Amino acid sequence: MASTSNSKSIAEDEDEEEEELARFDDFTLASSWERFISDIEVVCRQWLADGPQNLLVKGAVPMDLSNGLYKVKSEFKYAMKSYCMEYYFKTTNDGKVADWNQTLHDLQLSFGVKEFVMIAPQSASGVVLDSPEASKLLSAVAIALSNCSSLWPAFVPVHDPSRKAYIGIQNMGTVFTRRFEADRIGSQVPIKLMHLEGLYELFVSKFAYTRMDLSMQQFKIHFKMRLTYRTPTYDDDDEVHEADDGIMESGGNAESETRKKTQWDDDCPWSEWYTTDDPVKGFELLAIWSEITAESSLEMAELENASPLEAEKWFLHPCFSENFDISDVKTVGFASQLCLLVKALEMSLEAQFMEDFVSAIENSGSDNAKSSAVIPPPTVLDRVLKDLFHQVAEAQPYLSTGEHKGSRAIKGAPLDSLFAQFCLHALWFGNCNIHAIAVLWIEFVREVRWCWEESQPLPRMPANGIIDLSTCLINQKLHMLAICIDRQRQQGTKLSDVSQHDDTPDDAKEDLQDQRFFSPHEVSEGFEGERESQSTSNGLLGPKTEEVSYNPKHHEIATSKIATSTFSKSSEHDRRGSAGALPDMMLLHSREIMHAPITQDPPLMTEDMHEERLRAAEASADSFSFSAQLEKEILVSDMSAFKAANPDAVFEDFIRWHSPKDWEDDYSEIGVSQTSTVEGSKNEWPPRGRLSKRMSEFGSSWRKIWNEAPALQASKQKPLLDPNREGEKVLHYLETLRPHQLLEQMVCTAFRAAADTLNQTSFGDLKQMTTKIGQLYLTMSSPLKYVQSYSRSGDGDIIEDVRRLCVIFGHVEKLLTLAASLHRNFLQAPSLAEAIFSDYYDYYQQKMGSGSMQGDSKKEFKKKHEIRARERDVVASMFTPPTANQSWRKVLSMGNLLNGHEPTLREITFSKRDRVSKSYYTASASKFYQQEIETYRMYVCETSNDLRVALAVASCD
């Protein structure tokens, strides 16, 4: 019983203690606001402990500024609201705020701070609309920073976001505390505040407590000023009015004058195919006055009338067009159309003939198929064909000025050639889909056949010369066709000349008919070119035959006097087909002067013809004999012509003229010079020498051919090239060309022609651009050499490589338009164009060569270039005086005019400095603070219709 009573008494005592505790208020527990301060303090201490370098490692985000500003952030909750606190810092701590020529954060510019903390609610506006809430937030951050012994300034955005209003506070480590406040007047700015005099008095009123007129007082005020000018832009109304005025004065035709209005790139090489916006819409000029002292408002009034040419520094910044500096915006140019052509290459394997793609659209009832395969109307097609075939000036496709030295590494066609122009037109025909290309190609081949059937010269193609095997096969075929057409025209011309002269002997008529397939060389023109072409053709006669170039010093054509006498002496032999005498060479048996014969041009062959002969030679058991047999027609023609020109010649004479390396001279073995050899040969006859081993061996094919070859001049011989047969073969190739074969050659040619077109751009001495273009050709040559094997391999990586090449091409094309624009803007100061382009090139370098531009696409180019004193006049001339039509519309409210243009933005920083001391943190810091500090600072940013003021005041609390 006793234990029961004791337990009851203990329970009663515990109940009484609980009641007493319930009525007790424990003031040691933190409130929600104190916990909010504690959370902020923990984050701030962590940031202070990490330092800038560790914060970068932990993922600090770089700002889109040029002064290396980074930020980290942390989120908090207080009173059912979420807040975000951001710490802005720089990795370098030099104790100085960045200059005005750099791009600064708005708070750095407004209050002159370097690193700072900003806290704002996580809401749609991102500002604090309630004043008590803003004060409470600022107090919480200030207490937390004070507990951390941090000197970071803290800011809170307030009011409407458009006002860019802030309040802030900073513990300066002394008995002083700096408070910040900024706000903006968006309209109805007082007239007085639009002038420097009124702004000066506004700043003085913040610390000068006097009832007297402030304009009569003198205060030593430090200030600096930055004026921003924008090169004038002319709208359509200005151009129309100016054109009308000029027409009225000159009495001209309004319609004709309107047509003269041109685009900025009308004289650029790409303007024939497309036009693009000028990447540089204008320039911003920054004129800066720094560290000026004024003691009265009158001095400010005088400064307002000063010329910007008196400013201490000038900085220039290009203003790009709206979409130029945005990487993910697709622009129309060669690169975009080349991407469409690559897509057409992928689809080319879907049909066997080009006509199949045309019929597929005609037979398709789907609207989607017809809309995706846009085919221009016949009028557009006629205009393209007219440009290709009828509106052609004298063209020299192989002497194009725009051809880069690396262009020949790409197996395409020269820029001015017919096929290259076809490919460039195809890029813009419709939307460059396979169906539109098929329509254009079919009509293109029809026009080519018309030229052939009507014996009309093939435009944009040379009708002579050798076929360039480094070009694509279609270009080789068109070159062959042009030569065949020219041979046909020569035949028709000579036959008509013969028919008009009835008194011409029959033998002469026959000679003219036979001469239609060769190019005779007159004696007066010299024999060097004929001998050179002859030796070139003989390089294919056998593996041991060496190419020999004719030496004009030792084998010269005889003068007309010598030739005449020689012809008279050998008249009994009926010498025919001679191009002239070789006075230093004599026939071995008759000791007569040797004559060089007129020979036929070697037959032209395209790449596929060479490959066909090579395959036939490989299939033969005796490749050497077969190779000689393939060239037998040429050799027979040369031997026959030589016999006709030299009736008493023997095989050894032909070898001495045709292949000198196969004639071994005894004089060279005993060390006698060639000059003395020639002189000795006249006295010692016959000259000492012999055939080479391969020519003297038994059963030599050359000697056999010599014995069988008749003495027949070139005009009487069967032509080596049959233009009718070869021309029809070319047309058959073009008409039966498979789609993938056409598109493979089109892709290579289009890349080469587009690059050659851009290479014609005039951009001055921009070395980086020149290097980049050279790199583009090297980059193109590697993937494009595999394109023509795409149909055989079906490798999808080839298409992906070419697509990446399109991206790289677009980068270079973009830089080239900028280089052209800068060059024409700074013709009088090329160094400025080079400096600005170099800065942009370094900025853009990281984007080139990759298809992905994520992360960098939002970064803008903001670097400014300092203008030297000797360049200021050139920059000032870009600000042309406004016309009368422009002047009446503008009310000039600010001074400092530059050629009649007021600044678009004026920024001024006023400051008043005092000396302070007494640090309450450390005794050793007192010496550091024995210096001037800005006790008052006011930043003013204004335009012609708004005003923003930011004030910082250091006070003793």
Side-chain angles (χ1 to χ4, degrees), residues 397-413:
Y398 295 96
L399 299 176
S400 176
T401 56
E403 185 175 285
H404 191 271
K405 62 181 181 181
S407 179
R408 297 182 65 84
I410 303 171
K411 199 171 183 62

Side-chain angles (χ1 to χ4, degrees), residues 110 112 132 219 226 287 304 409 545 604 615 733 762 815 822 840 935:
S110 300
F219 301 95
R226 178 172 70 175
E304 188 170 331
T545 305
L604 300 174
R615 288 193 296 268
Y733 169 81
S762 176
L815 284 175
L822 291 175
Y840 187 85
T935 52

Side-chain angles (χ1 to χ4, degrees), residues 150-298:
S150 173
L151 303 182
W152 295 341
F155 297 94
V156 175
V158 294
H159 306 309
D160 187 78
S162 62
R163 292 170 60 176
K164 295 183 179 181
Y166 295 91
I167 60 173
I169 192 170
Q170 179 185 16
N171 185 352
M172 301 182 65
T174 64
V175 294
F176 287 90
T177 301
R178 179 176 290 163
R179 289 179 172 82
F180 309 97
E181 185 175 0
D183 207 343
R184 173 175 173 267
I185 302 176
S187 61
Q188 298 181 351
V189 179
I191 299 298
K192 185 177 182 180
L193 298 181
M194 299 302 296
H195 299 279
L196 296 181
E197 183 179 359
L199 295 173
Y200 172 85
E201 293 178 2
L202 174 65
F203 177 67
V204 171
S205 66
K206 300 301 179 181
F207 59 85
Y209 302 100
T210 176
R211 296 182 179 180
M212 298 178 62
D213 187 1
L214 293 177
S215 62
M216 303 302 295
Q217 301 294 318
Q218 290 189 352
F219 301 95
K220 189 176 182 180
I221 304 300
H222 301 274
F223 76 95
K224 53 185 178 180
M225 180 171 64
R226 178 172 70 175
L227 303 180
T228 302
Y229 297 87
R230 178 73 181 266
T231 52
T233 56
Y234 301 97
D235 52 25
D236 295 335
D237 293 337
D238 295 333
E239 295 179 357
V240 170
H241 286 300
E242 292 177 10
D244 292 343
D245 294 341
I247 294 168
M248 294 299 293
E249 292 177 2
S250 61
N253 187 0
E255 183 177 358
S256 63
E257 292 293 332
T258 304
R259 292 175 182 173
K260 292 182 180 180
K261 183 178 176 182
T262 59
Q263 300 292 333
W264 79 276
D265 58 350
D266 275 353
D267 57 346
C268 293
W270 63 77
S271 61
E272 182 182 356
W273 308 104
Y274 68 95
T275 184
T276 182
D277 292 335
D278 191 345
V280 182
K281 286 297 185 183
F283 292 89
E284 281 188 354
L285 172 64
L286 306 181
I288 298 177
W289 284 263
S290 59
E291 297 302 325
I292 303 177
T293 302
E295 295 184 356
S296 66
S297 58
L298 296 178

Side-chain angles (χ1 to χ4, degrees), residues 452 455 483-499 509-518 719 721-725:
W452 165 252
S455 296
I483 295 175
C484 293
I485 293 175
D486 184 67
R487 298 290 174 86
Q488 279 190 335
R489 288 169 60 86
Q490 289 181 17
Q491 173 188 2
T493 301
K494 292 177 181 178
L495 289 177
S496 63
D497 291 342
V498 171
S499 63
K509 292 181 180 180
E510 184 180 356
D511 290 347
L512 289 174
Q513 292 177 4
D514 292 334
Q515 287 177 9
R516 64 184 180 272
F517 298 123
F518 76 97
L721 175 67
D722 185 353
N724 294 317
R725 182 185 62 186

